[in-house]
Amino acid sequence: MSRKPWQLNRRTFLKGVGVSCMLPYLECMGAPAVASASAAGAPKRMCFVYFPNGVGLPPEDSPHRADWSWFPRGSGKDYTFTKTLEPLEPHRDKLSILGGLSHPNSRSVLGHIAGDTWLTGGDLRGSRYMNQVSVDQVAAQALAPHTRYPFLALSTDGGVGYKSRISTLSFDLSGNPIPSEHRQRDIFERYFSPNGGGTTEDRRKSLQQGQKIVDLVLEDSKRLSRHLGSQDKAKMDEYLSSLSSVEAQLQRNEQWLDIPLADFDASNLNLNVDATVDPEAYLRSTFDLMVLGFQIDLTRVMTFMMAREDGMGFGENFPMLALGIKKGHHKISHDKTKDHWIEWGRYDQWLTKQFAYFIDRMKNTHDEYGPLLDNTLTLYGSACSNTHNARNYPLVLAGGENLGLQHGEYTVFDEKHVPMSNLYVSMLNAVGIPTVSFADSNGPLPSVFA
């Protein structure tokens, strides 16, 4: 069959903005607007979970090093967890501990701004904010045809924050931050109740009205843009890009309107949680929503920022609320008192317990293809090692047994030869997105991935 002039080859690659990867199936490739999991085989998913301010790393001469250093003792398969990562012991065969990785362009900046580049590898060393697309958005673009929503961007604080105090992990193709969501009840009602409690026809009318409004705003904004100066025009372009995203999702919602959500049990969800009262309940409620979203194939890409950098936001008070420590997270990371390493280690351990809860839920929750964890790559970590040191990121890569991962080891990479973006190249390839490079990568990760 001859290809029409407007049709693209299905192996067309998108290059630029720090990435080279295969384009997702588009209509001009002859792909259907909506693809089901059964048609595409077992879903391949990607998830990122972030915590701020680095981790406790007592020096070698400290009596607390053996118990409270974040990184394990030993290496390879013979490593031993310290108390900090001990909650992950039951999942040892489902995860890998990674050391030595970081983004070269972030190594010389204060650690808190490195959080902005954790998923991008962008260069923020200058005065201008010149970030680039995050790896989750590359995955979301490619995997979007299979699901109702391309991605979920979640955080404890919501919104985007600001440079070095960002409250989202996700950045669009222009390097602009994508607002995250943080109110569990709103998230549930928006994404897990697509008809909003009304009839399908009511929802269709609402979507069509939304499209008309966006069309009118887009038309007026484009007309106005022609009369603006360069700086205002740049801001308007960002606004138009945001509106275009809204328009695209409205169109997606209409395509999926007649396709019912898979049946699910929401009886275990606790949506009446408050991060300022019970942080553990809050974090676990978000994790429960994420598990449910993956279980019903609502999306295949999620990010969750457990707290913001530098003492900003709700997460600063979590050590006080959860453990009775009299200092906030950022203050602990700078403290030099006698019990400093114990307090920091206890809080690192508490964060690990929350992530272990998520891994346990993913391992014991099934879809038609088996445990969710086996088809999901999940990266947990921070963009600092110790306070402001933006190198040797603490990282745990979990899941993906069916995606070719070989777990069970603690590996320390040489930062001179292996940038963190190599990990993202391998993750994208593992979920079926053929990728040559991402950001400043120089190849795939040399281990863990088969």
Side-chain angles (χ1 to χ4, degrees), residues 20 50 55 73 108 157 160 170 210 212 218 220 226 237 252 278 284 296 305 335 348 353 372 403 405 407 422:
S20 174
Y50 183 85
V55 295
R73 299 185 296 272
S108 61
D157 293 279
V160 298
S170 302
K212 290 178 182 177
L218 277 171
D220 286 346
R226 291 194 291 268
D237 287 343
R252 286 176 57 83
D278 190 343
R284 295 191 176 194
I296 65 173
M305 194 174 206
D335 196 6
D348 285 344
K353 286 180 180 178
L372 297 180
L403 306 180
L405 271 76
H407 285 307
N422 286 16

Side-chain angles (χ1 to χ4, degrees), residues 38 78 92-93 110 266 341 356 358:
S38 59
D78 298 325
R92 185 187 183 104
D93 62 335
L110 281 179
W341 295 117
F358 178 55

Side-chain angles (χ1 to χ4, degrees), residues 120-427:
T120 71
D123 187 356
L124 300 185
R125 291 175 294 181
S127 59
R128 295 185 63 192
Y129 196 85
M130 299 288 289
N131 213 342
Q132 61 186 39
V133 65
S134 54
V135 64
D136 66 299
Q137 291 304 296
V138 176
Q141 185 186 43
L143 300 177
H146 303 295
T147 58
R148 194 176 298 268
Y149 296 98
F151 65 93
L152 289 184
L154 309 173
S155 77
T156 295
D157 293 279
V160 298
Y162 56 93
K163 180 180 179 179
S164 81
R165 307 300 183 270
I166 205 75
S167 58
T168 180
L169 298 175
S170 302
F171 292 79
D172 64 21
L173 289 169
S174 298
N176 298 314
I178 297 172
S180 62
E181 302 184 66
H182 69 300
R183 295 185 177 90
Q184 284 94 340
R185 183 167 295 281
D186 290 348
I187 293 168
F188 182 79
E189 292 178 353
R190 180 177 299 117
Y191 296 105
F192 295 85
S193 303
N195 288 340
T199 65
T200 299
E201 188 56 35
D202 289 341
R203 183 61 175 165
R204 192 182 306 280
K205 290 179 181 178
S206 176
L207 287 170
Q208 290 171 348
Q209 180 62 26
Q211 289 171 0
K212 290 178 182 177
I213 293 173
V214 171
D215 287 343
L216 287 173
V217 175
L218 277 171
E219 183 179 348
D220 286 346
S221 299
K222 290 175 182 177
R223 185 183 304 113
L224 173 63
S225 183
R226 291 194 291 268
H227 303 285
L228 298 177
S230 58
Q231 290 187 348
D232 283 341
K233 190 175 186 303
K235 293 180 180 179
M236 182 61 73
D237 287 343
E238 291 182 13
Y239 178 61
L240 291 174
S241 176
S242 177
L243 281 176
S244 295
S245 297
V246 172
E247 183 181 43
Q249 187 57 50
L250 286 169
Q251 293 171 351
R252 286 176 57 83
N253 288 349
E254 188 164 23
Q255 292 171 355
W256 283 86
L257 197 58
D258 296 319
I259 302 175
L261 281 170
D263 292 335
F264 61 86
D265 179 7
S267 61
N268 70 313
L269 293 179
N270 179 10
L271 303 178
N272 299 312
V273 289
D274 187 340
T276 66
V277 176
D278 190 343
E280 180 168 279
Y282 177 87
L283 294 177
R284 295 191 176 194
S285 176
T286 302
F287 283 134
D288 288 340
L289 282 171
M290 293 166 68
V291 171
L292 181 59
F294 282 143
Q295 185 181 22
I296 65 173
D297 207 25
L298 188 76
T299 184
R300 298 183 184 178
V301 180
M302 295 192 201
T303 59
F304 178 35
M305 194 174 206
M306 298 171 75
R308 291 171 69 181
E309 295 283 353
D310 194 26
M312 302 292 293
F314 297 122
E316 174 64 7
N317 295 327
F318 285 178
M320 295 182 279
L321 294 167
L323 300 175
I325 297 173
K326 296 182 179 180
K327 294 183 282 288
H329 188 193
H330 184 248
K331 189 172 182 179
I332 290 173
S333 74
H334 283 279
D335 196 6
K336 303 299 179 184
T337 59
K338 180 180 178 181
D339 296 328
H340 163 243
W341 295 117
I342 296 176
E343 290 177 337
W344 199 349
R346 286 180 59 215
Y347 184 62
D348 285 344
Q349 182 191 64
W350 182 84
L351 289 172
T352 304
K353 286 180 180 178
Q354 311 318 311
F355 180 65
Y357 170 83
F358 178 55
I359 294 301
D360 187 72
R361 288 292 324 279
M362 290 288 287
K363 187 164 71 172
N364 292 293
T365 302
H366 295 65
D367 61 9
E368 59 184 298
Y369 301 99
L372 297 180
L373 188 63
D374 290 349
N375 289 308
T376 308
L377 290 181
T378 300
L379 184 66
Y380 168 77
S382 180
C384 300
S385 54
N386 194 335
T387 314
H388 289 164
N389 188 2
R391 54 206 318 161
N392 189 30
Y393 297 165
L395 302 169
V396 178
L397 181 65
E401 183 176 304
N402 294 339
L403 306 180
L405 271 76
Q406 300 174 341
H407 285 307
E409 296 189 10
Y410 166 38
T411 305
V412 180
F413 298 92
D414 182 354
E415 71 169 30
K416 293 181 180 179
H417 301 102
V418 185
M420 184 168 171
S421 293
N422 286 16
L423 169 61
Y424 297 151
V425 169
S426 291
M427 291 180 72

Side-chain angles (χ1 to χ4, degrees), residues 46-85:
M46 193 177 286
C47 180
F48 300 90
V49 179
Y50 183 85
F51 61 90
N53 299 327
V55 295
L57 296 174
E60 291 186 8
D61 61 352
S62 170
H64 303 300
R65 184 178 177 86
D67 285 340
W68 295 115
S69 180
W70 192 93
F71 287 104
R73 299 185 296 272
S75 61
K77 290 186 177 295
D78 298 325
Y79 75 85
T80 302
F81 284 120
T82 65
K83 289 182 178 180
T84 305
L85 292 187

